[in-house]
Amino acid sequence: MNRDFPQNTDLPRYYSKKEKKPFPVPILELRRAARQRIKDAKGKPKKPVPPPRNGMLVRSLIPVAYEVMNARITLINNLKRLLKVVPVLACKHCNEIHVGSVGHPFRSCQGIRSDTRNGMHDWTKATVEDVFFPMEAFHLFDRLGKRIAHQERFSIPRVPALVELCVQAGVDLPDLPTKRRRKPVIRIGRSEIIDANEDDLPDPKPDRFKKPILAEIPDSDVIPPSTPEETAQLSEDTLEAWDTMRQGAHKLMRRYGVRVCGYCPELHVGPSGHKAQNCGAFKHQQRNGQHGWQTAVLDDLIPPRYVWHVPESSPVLQRELRNFYGQAPAVVELCVQGGAEVPDRYKPTMRLDIGIPTSLKEAEMVV
């Protein structure tokens, strides 16, 4: 195993619906950094506001935005083909999924009437949306404009959050118009801006960063791979698209703000969250339905959807040996079962080097 990664690690902590998500950076560190910035800027001339805070695009990230956009479409198209040959099951009553022909036996269902089934899952065939969950957000025509009010929540379209991030980073889509400025905005107050006069500028030239956008394959035109070799190659390409999409999205999130509610999964792509009072999480009455916005992390934008890793030695999981099994993101597990090689960064949570006991008696002897 690569020494850059530990041998075994625990999964990210699961937070119940009654707990608030922790801040990516603790509040005390944020305050300390803010005081240091004020101290360093004292007595010095004010620096110009950098993009994208001044309304301009970060030119170096436009190719990254197109790369992420095409990687997302490639991932969806490849998953549609892989699901034709690799079985994936989803529970009818909760959001849990399992990659394999036989669902796992663990009593972890928390859906409707789960107590009557003693927590057992009721499995059915999964779809692409179960494996690659599409997080949605409001589309902003002007990312520096006024915040979305509660009364506007039904008049503004909802789009996949990753698509909205790419659009704000420079991807031009005809069905999602957005405002592009050629001069930095002029700030006349802390929260008031006006657009600079662009009449003296020449006609805009064709953007050299613009690339063609791939198209999603309709479900009726999906052709499954015909040979095991083709399935393995398709799995490798899918895994590459997954890594490209996540790495590119992480680069975009460093410059373009993405907000998440600390109590529910609601996302907002923009410098500040919207004002729609539609949070229904724990004790939302005390907040009048308003979201508790904080900085989002990559797993908020692209949920990994961890599933149980099915070892080759025992394709059917046993309930008594649960502590010996590892987990991996659903896309990674799907590609591994399709024939792709396991990336080093996912091996610690998959517990590939842990021996699986052959019987319950052998498992009880493990120290």
Side-chain angles (χ1 to χ4, degrees), residues 8-15 96 299 304-309 322 325-330 345-351:
N8 291 300
T9 58
D10 295 329
L11 293 172
R13 180 188 168 188
Y14 171 78
Y15 293 92
E96 193 158 341
D299 286 349
R305 298 298 304 275
Y306 281 95
V307 298
W308 292 101
H309 171 60
R322 177 171 179 167
Y325 299 126
Q327 294 190 14
R345 57 186 164 280
Y346 298 111
K347 289 181 179 179
T349 59
M350 297 175 72
R351 301 181 180 178

Side-chain angles (χ1 to χ4, degrees), residues 49-340:
V49 179
R53 291 172 55 195
N54 62 359
M56 305 290 287
L57 294 175
V58 183
R59 305 295 294 177
S60 60
L61 291 181
I62 296 179
V64 178
Y66 276 96
E67 188 179 37
V68 172
M69 189 73 181
N70 285 328
R72 173 185 175 273
I73 298 176
T74 301
L75 176 65
I76 293 176
N77 292 338
N78 290 354
L79 287 177
K80 289 181 179 180
R81 297 183 61 192
L82 279 177
L83 287 178
K84 297 288 186 179
V85 294
V86 180
V88 181
L89 303 176
C91 182
K92 295 180 181 179
H93 308 285
C94 69
N95 59 356
E96 193 158 341
I97 59 177
H98 180 76
V99 182
S101 56
V102 180
H104 67 72
F106 308 132
R107 303 177 183 269
S108 56
C109 183
Q110 297 180 354
I112 185 172
R113 291 192 293 273
S114 60
D115 52 343
T116 61
R117 291 176 278 107
N118 295 327
M120 293 295 294
H121 295 278
D122 188 5
W123 300 108
T124 185
K125 188 176 181 181
T127 61
V128 175
E129 288 74 16
D130 296 320
V131 179
F132 179 48
F133 191 75
M135 301 296 295
E136 290 189 346
F138 286 112
H139 171 59
L140 301 181
F141 172 74
D142 184 6
R143 68 184 310 273
L144 296 183
K146 294 183 178 180
R147 298 173 64 183
I148 299 174
H150 179 69
Q151 295 78 11
E152 301 173 331
R153 65 191 186 280
F154 296 124
S155 60
I156 298 179
R158 301 271 295 181
V159 298
L162 188 59
V163 174
E164 176 65 15
L165 178 61
C166 294
V167 169
Q168 292 190 17
V171 175
D172 293 326
L173 297 178
D175 54 341
L176 294 177
T178 185
K179 190 172 186 177
R180 304 293 189 200
R181 294 180 175 89
R182 303 171 63 191
K183 282 187 176 181
V185 297
I186 302 174
R187 294 190 176 271
I188 58 177
R190 186 172 183 179
S191 59
E192 293 186 50
I193 60 172
I194 58 175
D195 292 332
N197 188 8
E198 300 179 356
D199 295 339
D200 58 333
L201 296 178
D203 295 336
K205 298 180 181 180
D207 194 349
R208 59 186 179 92
F209 295 109
K210 192 173 183 179
K211 298 180 181 179
I213 302 296
L214 302 178
E216 291 189 20
I217 302 176
D219 294 340
S220 57
D221 299 340
V222 175
I223 301 176
S226 56
T227 61
E229 293 77 12
E230 186 179 356
T231 303
Q233 183 60 44
L234 182 62
S235 301
E236 293 285 355
D237 297 341
T238 305
L239 206 54
E240 182 180 357
W242 167 260
D243 291 336
T244 301
M245 181 186 65
R246 286 182 61 90
Q247 293 172 7
H250 186 58
K251 293 180 182 178
L252 297 179
M253 292 176 68
R254 292 177 180 175
R255 299 297 298 273
Y256 293 89
V258 180
R259 301 287 182 259
V260 66
C261 179
Y263 304 95
C264 72
E266 178 72 10
L267 281 172
H268 182 79
V269 183
S272 57
H274 60 75
K275 294 183 179 180
Q277 301 172 1
N278 54 1
C279 182
F282 184 63
K283 291 187 178 180
H284 63 91
Q285 300 89 346
Q286 299 180 359
R287 295 175 277 110
N288 197 21
Q290 295 182 352
H291 295 282
W293 297 113
Q294 62 187 50
T295 304
V297 297
L298 182 60
D299 286 349
D300 295 324
L301 182 67
I302 308 175
R305 298 298 304 275
Y306 281 95
V307 298
W308 292 101
H309 171 60
V310 180
E312 297 181 359
S313 58
S314 56
V316 179
L317 303 183
Q318 301 182 38
R319 185 183 308 164
E320 296 80 7
L321 306 180
R322 177 171 179 167
N323 294 334
F324 296 91
Y325 299 126
Q327 294 190 14
V331 174
V332 177
E333 178 66 16
L334 178 63
C335 295
V336 168
Q337 293 197 22

Side-chain angles (χ1 to χ4, degrees), residues 28-52:
L28 293 179
E29 294 186 16
L30 292 175
R31 292 174 178 173
R32 188 181 300 113
R35 289 194 297 266
Q36 187 65 35
R37 285 196 303 267
I38 295 175
K39 184 178 179 181
D40 295 341
K42 191 174 182 179
K44 297 181 181 179
K46 193 174 182 180
K47 297 181 180 179
V49 179

